[in-house]
């Protein structure tokens, strides 16, 4: 780790926006605290006990105009800050539709990365500058937290579910990645580096590190290997839901509810098939829990998603 600076220069579009909000909040707080403290000191000096002051002329008259101002100005200010922060939060939590999706699987004590074209890396994440990158993250053991101070992003990574994050890096360079949730003996060594490259360098890097085929392709192989195609294939005789065009669609369930077929739903359907049964189907699918690793689940999701290339939805 190369000298952790006290102030980390922002290196993503979101980081600049977060810093602007923080600066505004700090300036307002300092102004208000400064004003109140100054008023207290002046009043204490001018009218402390024993000081000559007219104290017996009865209570002062009300000043409605003054009251409206001191209630109204802070109210508008607080609502403004709330609105600013809420809009920013929403934008920082909603990945753009054209984001590059990269999978992150955390484990004690490392970060495993899968790129859509099949490249894999550990404790390193190569990304292009100037392009939104969405991370779909899960853990295969305990809770971890993905934290890149230079991007001002931090998100818990949980076993049994997906969380996501997105950023748009502005400057090529190397940025420190931390695990920010105590996760056992080597938590403090669960570090990594985000390597931001220019778009041409990035495509060179992808070409120089060919994976074992795209994630969707590897998922397709697993789909046959685990026997999924036996029931979900086009020529199957078993009555199982057809998966083409599933991703992003609304699925009606046998209990009357409805869910959107996103990454999370497909994961649950593979590991806990009987928790959400599609309306009109019997609950006969076996669970693949303990058989499929988190990385393989993500490949299967990529495959099922590829069965519907027309629709680009967020997981
Ligand atoms: Cu992983 Cu702390």
């Amino acid at each position: 780790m190369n000298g952790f600076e006290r102030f980390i220069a922002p290196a993503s579009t979101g980081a600049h926006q977060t810093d602007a909000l923080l600066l505004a909040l700090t300036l307002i707080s300092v102004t208000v605290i400064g004003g109140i403290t100054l008023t207290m000191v002046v009043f204490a000096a001018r009218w402390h006990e024993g000081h000559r002051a007219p104290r017996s002329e009865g209570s002062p008259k009300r000043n409605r105009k003054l009251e409206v101002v001191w209630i109204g100005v802070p109210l508008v200010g607080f609502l403004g800050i709330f609105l600013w922060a809420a809009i920013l939060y929403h934008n920082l939590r909603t990945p753009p539709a054209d984001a590059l999706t990269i999978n992150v699987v955390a484990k004690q004590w490392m970060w495993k990365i899968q790129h859509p074209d099949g490249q894999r890396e550990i404790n390193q994440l190569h990304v292009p500058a100037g392009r939104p990158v969405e991370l779909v993250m899960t853990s295969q053991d305990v809770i971890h937290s993905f934290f890149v101070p230079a991007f001002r992003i931090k998100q818990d990574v949980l076993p049994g579910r997906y969380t996501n994050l997105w950023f748009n890096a502005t400057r090529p360079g190397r940025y420190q990645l931390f695990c920010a949730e105590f996760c056992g003996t080597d938590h403090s060594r669960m570090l990594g580096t985000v390597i931001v490259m220019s778009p041409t360098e990035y495509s060179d890097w992808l070409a120089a590190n060919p994976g074992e085929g795209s994630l969707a392709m590897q998922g397709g192989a697993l789909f046959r290997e685990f026997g999924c195609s036996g029931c979900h294939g086009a020529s199957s005789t078993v009555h199982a839901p057809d998966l083409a065009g599933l991703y992003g669609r609304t699925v009606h369930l046998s209990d009357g509810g409805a869910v959107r077929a996103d990454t999370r739903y497909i994961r649950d359907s593979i590991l806990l098939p009987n928790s959400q049964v599609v309306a009109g189907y019997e609950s006969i699918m076996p669970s693949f829990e303990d058989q499929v690793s988190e990385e393989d689940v993500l490949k299967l999701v990529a495959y099922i998603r590829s069965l519907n290339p027309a629709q680009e939805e967020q997981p």
Side-chain angles (χ1 to χ4, degrees):
M1 190 168 128
N2 45 356
F4 191 64
E5 297 154 42
R6 191 178 292 177
F7 178 76
I8 303 145
S12 73
T13 52
H16 287 280
Q17 296 170 32
T18 306
D19 285 3
L21 177 64
L22 185 67
L23 183 69
L25 267 174
T26 309
L27 286 178
I28 292 172
S29 303
V30 166
T31 310
V32 170
I33 291 172
I36 291 174
T37 310
L38 194 71
T39 311
M40 276 168 58
V41 169
V42 168
F43 277 39
R46 285 185 65 174
W47 290 298
H48 62 81
E49 196 184 10
H51 202 276
R52 281 169 57 90
R55 295 179 202 276
S56 52
E57 287 170 21
S59 54
K61 300 239 162 36
R62 290 191 72 174
N63 187 334
R64 280 187 194 279
K65 228 184 236 170
L66 189 64
E67 284 177 22
V68 167
V69 168
W70 83 44
I71 293 170
V73 169
L75 181 70
V76 170
F78 284 133
L79 288 179
I81 287 279
F82 169 76
L83 207 64
W84 182 0
I87 292 169
L88 183 58
Y89 181 82
H90 178 260
N91 292 345
L92 296 182
R93 302 303 315 185
T94 315
D98 61 340
L100 174 69
T101 305
I102 295 179
N103 296 327
V104 177
V105 176
K107 64 164 280 197
Q108 289 167 319
W109 290 274
M110 63 176 76
W111 300 101
K112 296 187 285 185
I113 312 287
Q114 285 182 331
H115 291 261
D117 292 337
Q119 288 81 2
R120 294 157 63 88
E121 40 186 346
I122 287 177
N123 293 342
Q124 286 200 324
L125 169 59
H126 288 77
V127 291
R131 170 147 188 217
V133 174
E134 182 191 6
L135 303 177
V136 174
M137 310 189 292
T138 192
S139 163
Q140 66 181 59
D141 40 46
V142 299
I143 301 177
H144 304 272
S145 183
F146 190 98
F147 179 33
V148 184
F151 298 165
R152 312 288 191 264
I153 53 168
K154 178 157 75 175
Q155 171 63 52
D156 276 10
V157 181
L158 308 169
R161 60 173 286 189
Y162 292 117
T163 51
N164 47 3
L165 259 187
W166 79 274
F167 59 86
N168 187 344
T170 48
R171 286 184 290 120
R174 298 169 70 86
Y175 303 97
Q176 185 72 49
L177 157 68
F178 292 94
C179 178
E181 182 67 55
F182 181 67
C183 55
T185 314
D186 278 341
H187 157 71
S188 63
R189 285 194 237 166
M190 192 168 162
L191 305 168
T193 312
V194 180
I195 298 147
V196 177
M197 314 169 95
S198 70
T200 47
E201 274 180 323
Y202 178 69
S203 43
D204 289 349
W205 179 83
L206 286 180
N209 295 278
E212 304 124 44
S214 72
L215 279 196
M217 237 178 73
Q218 296 180 50
L222 291 170
F223 194 75
R224 288 180 291 276
E225 197 178 304
F226 284 114
C228 316
S229 51
C231 298
H232 292 281
S235 56
S236 157
T237 51
V238 180
H239 187 50
D242 182 20
L243 302 181
L246 169 70
Y247 195 90
R249 214 170 58 193
T250 302
V251 177
H252 296 280
L253 302 175
S254 56
D255 64 3
V259 287
R260 217 169 72 92
D262 54 9
T263 308
R264 204 161 294 159
Y265 167 76
I266 294 171
R267 178 191 192 280
D268 288 351
S269 298
I270 296 168
L271 303 181
L272 308 161
N274 300 321
S275 65
Q276 291 178 311
V277 176
V278 181
Y281 290 89
E282 271 179 84
S283 176
I284 50 170
M285 174 165 158
S287 165
F288 285 81
E289 219 173 357
D290 306 326
Q291 290 185 56
V292 191
S293 69
E294 291 295 348
E295 284 143 303
D296 285 350
V297 173
L298 286 161
K299 288 175 189 167
L300 285 167
V301 171
Y303 171 68
I304 292 168
R305 189 174 174 170
S306 75
L307 297 174
N308 183 23
Q311 204 165 357
E312 271 293 311
E313 293 269 352
Q314 290 312 305

